[in-house]
Amino acid sequence: MSALLDSGSHLHAPNFSDGELAELNARFERAAASTIIEWAVEQFHPFMCLSASMTDALLIDLAVSVEPSIEVVFIDTGYHFPETLETVEVVRRHYGLNLRVLTVPPQPVELWQADPENCCSAAKVEQLDRALVGKLAWMSGLRRSEAPTRANAPIVARDLRGLVKVNPIATWSDTDVDGYIADHGIPVNPLLARGYPSIGCWPCTRPVADGEDPRAGRWAGRDKTECGLHL
Ligand code: SF4
């Protein structure tokens, strides 16, 4: 029986204090991503999942090397580029993934245009909430160098639900990512090579020019920079 279950099979979340989280972040600041993932798996598996955007399979590659049965969650908003959905299948086959795809009920017409906050809330955040029922922790590939809004992202934190959120590659630079992908033959979304360094839903993502902020193509022209998944 998992150490997270008592004799009545009730789930108990490890209760990390703010001080313990700070210590973990200090310890992991220079740790290898695989070391961070090993810690997370030891603490939370099987009550943990990995949320994947399918921009590339780097974090998936690292995670399944530690624990092949880890649950990978992909939220199909109904607005993904065909290339992203193709990448989901390529990655699923490549790794024999334990993949869970969450689909979204049809939205009112063009909600993304009229009210992107509520569109993201219904199509992304509510689906992640659903994916995290019965979980204690989740992992994401969020990195500090992706955007100024992410510059201080912790490696281990508590999210708004009270679950533990682990960002094993928070400290990785773009060069680190490109090097790992090249060295390990990691599957990537073909849109990366077509000027889309950050890939979301097609209505809210445009390609960026050389030298532009990598996330400048997300919700371009709107006062919105994040979908709300990483809160
Ligand atoms: S990124 Fe755009 S289309 Fe996708 S959920 Fe958010 S508002 Fe809707």
Side-chain angles (χ1 to χ4, degrees), residues 77 79 107 112 115-117 119-120 123-124 200-201 203-204 218-219 224 227:
T77 61
Y79 293 119
Q107 303 248 26
W112 55 269
D115 189 349
E117 286 301 335
C119 187
C120 276
K124 292 187 172 181
C201 300
C204 304
R218 305 291 297 276
W219 303 284
K224 177 171 170 64
C227 61

Side-chain angles (χ1 to χ4, degrees), residues 16-61:
F16 295 105
S17 67
D18 290 349
E20 286 168 328
L21 287 175
E23 274 177 36
L24 284 166
N25 277 297
R27 167 148 67 101
F28 290 150
E29 191 63 29
R30 294 185 189 284
S34 55
T35 302
I36 300 166
I37 295 168
E38 280 164 10
W39 170 84
V41 166
E42 194 179 308
Q43 292 287 325
F44 305 114
H45 185 72
F47 307 108
M48 176 175 71
C49 63
L50 185 164
S51 173
S53 70
M54 295 295 174
T55 298
D56 60 60
L58 190 158
L59 181 61
I60 291 171
D61 186 87

Side-chain angles (χ1 to χ4, degrees), residues 24 32 144 168 181 212:
L24 284 166
R144 293 172 187 162
I181 286 172
E212 224 182 344

